[in-house]
Amino acid sequence: MNLRPLHDRIIVKRLEEENKTAGGIFIPETAKEKPQKGEVIAVGKGKKAEDGKVTPIDVKVGNKVLFGKYAGTEIKIDGQEYLIMREDDILGVME
């Protein structure tokens, strides 16, 4: 991908959810919600403060993250869907 996010923005690829519940019931595509988990594809340099110092971003490329239901903006690059969001939209990093 030839896209570098600016400042404190991050590009995330959604991870696919299971299509079967814990009880073994299959969920049809039309009833599924979009997953709130994703993998970080690219990160910006960091947030710039008023004094000119850059605060680096805590997440790194390859991290699996959780984000809010309506976080970010959907973009499509080379037929693949991604989310571009600010670091503040990320709720946590899965380890």
Side-chain angles (χ1 to χ4, degrees):
M1 175 172 41
N2 296 330
L3 181 65
R4 181 179 57 89
L6 298 176
H7 307 295
D8 65 334
R9 289 185 174 83
I10 299 166
I11 298 178
V12 176
K13 179 180 177 184
R14 287 188 196 265
L15 295 177
E16 293 299 320
E17 291 284 327
E18 291 274 334
N19 58 353
K20 186 168 76 168
T21 65
I25 299 172
F26 286 95
I27 302 170
E29 289 293 323
T30 56
K32 284 173 128 180
E33 289 187 12
K34 290 189 177 182
Q36 295 175 337
K37 298 179 199 171
E39 181 178 354
V40 176
I41 302 298
V43 297
K45 300 229 184 251
K47 191 169 192 170
K48 190 178 273 191
E50 289 181 19
D51 62 357
K53 292 183 182 177
V54 176
T55 305
I57 295 179
D58 288 337
V59 296
K60 296 174 180 58
V61 173
N63 283 122
K64 306 254 188 297
V65 295
L66 296 173
F67 48 87
K69 192 172 199 170
Y70 302 107
T73 302
E74 292 184 357
I75 58 173
K76 200 170 203 177
I77 301 170
D78 298 331
Q80 186 73 9
E81 289 188 16
Y82 298 99
L83 283 171
I84 188 164
M85 63 182 73
R86 292 191 177 273
E87 183 182 25
D88 296 342
D89 294 334
I90 292 181
L91 304 174
V93 178
M94 300 186 313
E95 296 180 352

